[in-house]
Amino acid sequence: MWAAAPLLLLLLLPPLARLCRRGAARLEPAGRAVLITGCDSGFGHLLALRLHRLGFTVFAGCLCPGGDGARRLQREAGGGGRLRVLQLDVTRSCDVRAAKELVLRHLPERGFWGLVNNAGISTFGETGWLPMETYEKFADVNLLGSIRTTLAFLPLLRKYKGRIVFMSSIIAYFTLGNGIYSMTKAAIEKFCDALRLEMKKFGVQVCIIQPGNYARSTKIQPPVSAEEIWNELSEEEKAVYNKEYVQERANFFNSILSEGSTNGNEVVDAMVDALTSPAPKARYVVAKLKEKALVFVCALFPTVVMDFFLSYALSK
């Protein structure tokens, strides 16, 4: 009898959590500030507009504050002064410091509620195809950039018992031609796991968003060109691979991109829930059923099983 108790508890936890989430009141956005990185386009752009409509004071960090995306964001938000576009390159400490100073000067009455680490970049290429400079750039943007902004705003988040939301991906569990992106997402997940436990004592909640394939919605990864990949390979790599192989891999990756969802608002819904729910989830998986199944296999089955499935997919 007692041996079955842990299993029974495991089965009861999800419905009990849903009941708690339904019973408590959602957050009142008015008078609360949220900073979002990567608002030039994609999820960050959509989220900034959504939070503005809900009543939050939004600080929209853009890599190019004078670019088309930032100008469109300001037009779509209209007047009112609750949405501010600011220069924010997450790889530059001076930009992060300036963003914090701006937020402090314009904090609304209920203070700083949320930080959304959304900025990120993606590319395609097998491990030996990419130079060390590319690895350093991706680590700086996708991993260290999120850590850099988080460390800067932690004092404010602790003071106001706010929320931190990180943009990860189901690619943190496996890779199909973009291992450099998977590497950074897996690393940020471990950072989040440590941070989530450490922040509980301060009343700060940390959430991870794990989208599936939304390449067509975010444009984070444009279609790849086999010719460009081949031209950038070192002579050592060209001696190992041939143009036909590179073309096959590029075609495979482009076919995956073409299957991506165009409805980015599905992911934004999860981000909004993470910021406003009285009992947010630690992880939000927003993906198709087959993508969730792949994550399930990867998380619960031995590595040899996952390698078999992925090797089979790549062979096709």
Side-chain angles (χ1 to χ4, degrees), residues 100-112:
K100 184 177 180 180
E101 291 169 4
L102 180 69
V103 168
L104 286 170
R105 288 198 304 270
H106 300 282
L107 267 185
E109 60 272 19
R110 290 181 175 176
F112 189 71

Side-chain angles (χ1 to χ4, degrees), residues 124-231:
F124 164 80
E126 295 197 2
T127 303
W129 296 1
L130 304 170
M132 189 61 205
E133 292 78 12
T134 302
Y135 283 93
E136 291 171 345
K137 178 181 179 180
F138 270 71
D140 204 11
V141 176
N142 291 359
L143 175 60
L144 299 179
S146 292
I147 295 173
R148 192 174 285 113
T149 55
T150 298
L151 294 180
F153 284 90
L154 266 186
L156 277 176
L157 290 160
R158 285 194 294 253
K159 177 179 179 179
Y160 293 104
K161 302 184 187 301
R163 306 275 173 92
I164 315 175
V165 180
F166 290 85
M167 181 57 68
S168 180
S169 170
I170 62 169
I171 289 296
Y173 294 94
F174 58 88
T175 180
L176 284 170
N178 54 349
I180 190 170
Y181 186 69
S182 301
M183 171 194 77
T184 59
K185 293 306 182 182
I188 202 63
E189 293 238 356
K190 293 301 104 181
F191 174 75
C192 291
D193 287 342
L195 185 67
R196 185 177 60 254
L197 293 174
E198 294 166 2
M199 290 297 106
K200 283 183 180 295
K201 57 182 171 285
F202 300 107
V204 176
Q205 302 197 58
V206 179
C207 304
I208 302 172
I209 311 296
Q210 298 174 318
N213 183 0
Y214 282 84
R216 293 170 65 200
S217 174
T218 64
K219 303 296 192 296
I220 187 174
Q221 174 65 66
V224 299
S225 164
E227 188 68 26
E228 289 180 5
I229 295 169
W230 178 258
N231 291 337

Side-chain angles (χ1 to χ4, degrees), residues 40-307:
D40 301 81
S41 60
F43 298 137
H45 190 100
L46 293 174
L47 180 64
L49 292 173
R50 178 83 68 86
L51 294 183
H52 179 259
R53 286 197 296 269
L54 288 173
F56 282 101
T57 296
V58 179
F59 295 91
C62 291
L63 184 62
C64 301
D68 291 340
R71 290 200 301 268
R72 189 173 69 254
L73 183 60
Q74 290 174 313
R75 287 197 306 270
E76 292 168 337
R82 282 190 297 100
L83 189 146
R84 293 176 180 270
V85 171
L86 61 144
Q87 166 74 43
L88 183 51
D89 179 346
V90 296
T91 68
R92 293 166 53 87
S93 296
C94 58
D95 275 15
V96 175
R97 286 195 299 270
K100 184 177 180 180
E101 291 169 4
L102 180 69
V103 168
L104 286 170
R105 288 198 304 270
H106 300 282
L107 267 185
E109 60 272 19
R110 290 181 175 176
F112 189 71
W113 175 250
L115 170 64
V116 181
N117 287 300
N118 167 74
I121 54 176
S122 177
T123 193
F124 164 80
E126 295 197 2
T127 303
W129 296 1
L130 304 170
M132 189 61 205
E133 292 78 12
T134 302
Y135 283 93
E136 291 171 345
K137 178 181 179 180
F138 270 71
D140 204 11
V141 176
N142 291 359
L143 175 60
L144 299 179
S146 292
I147 295 173
R148 192 174 285 113
T149 55
T150 298
L151 294 180
F153 284 90
L154 266 186
L156 277 176
L157 290 160
R158 285 194 294 253
K159 177 179 179 179
Y160 293 104
K161 302 184 187 301
R163 306 275 173 92
I164 315 175
V165 180
F166 290 85
M167 181 57 68
S168 180
S169 170
I170 62 169
I171 289 296
Y173 294 94
F174 58 88
T175 180
L176 284 170
N178 54 349
I180 190 170
Y181 186 69
S182 301
M183 171 194 77
T184 59
K185 293 306 182 182
I188 202 63
E189 293 238 356
K190 293 301 104 181
F191 174 75
C192 291
D193 287 342
L195 185 67
R196 185 177 60 254
L197 293 174
E198 294 166 2
M199 290 297 106
K200 283 183 180 295
K201 57 182 171 285
F202 300 107
V204 176
Q205 302 197 58
V206 179
C207 304
I208 302 172
I209 311 296
Q210 298 174 318
N213 183 0
Y214 282 84
R216 293 170 65 200
S217 174
T218 64
K219 303 296 192 296
I220 187 174
Q221 174 65 66
V224 299
S225 164
E227 188 68 26
E228 289 180 5
I229 295 169
W230 178 258
N231 291 337
E232 292 175 3
L233 290 183
S234 67
E235 293 304 316
E236 291 87 349
E237 293 302 306
K238 286 181 178 178
V240 175
Y241 298 95
N242 55 48
K243 281 189 175 182
E244 289 74 19
Y245 179 83
V246 174
Q247 186 67 64
E248 288 175 1
R249 293 278 70 85
N251 291 344
F252 172 77
F253 193 66
N254 285 336
S255 71
I256 292 176
L257 295 178
S258 68
E259 296 174 358
S261 173
T262 58
N263 186 9
N265 282 305
E266 295 170 345
V267 178
V268 173
D269 289 343
M271 299 165 85
V272 171
D273 191 80
L275 288 166
T276 62
S277 170
K281 301 176 185 178
R283 281 176 168 82
Y284 291 81
V285 181
V286 190
K288 298 174 183 176
L289 182 59
K290 66 179 181 180
E291 292 172 329
K292 291 180 179 179
L294 198 56
V295 170
F296 177 81
V297 171
C298 186
L300 297 182
F301 283 73
T303 301
V304 66
V305 176
M306 194 62 194
D307 285 353

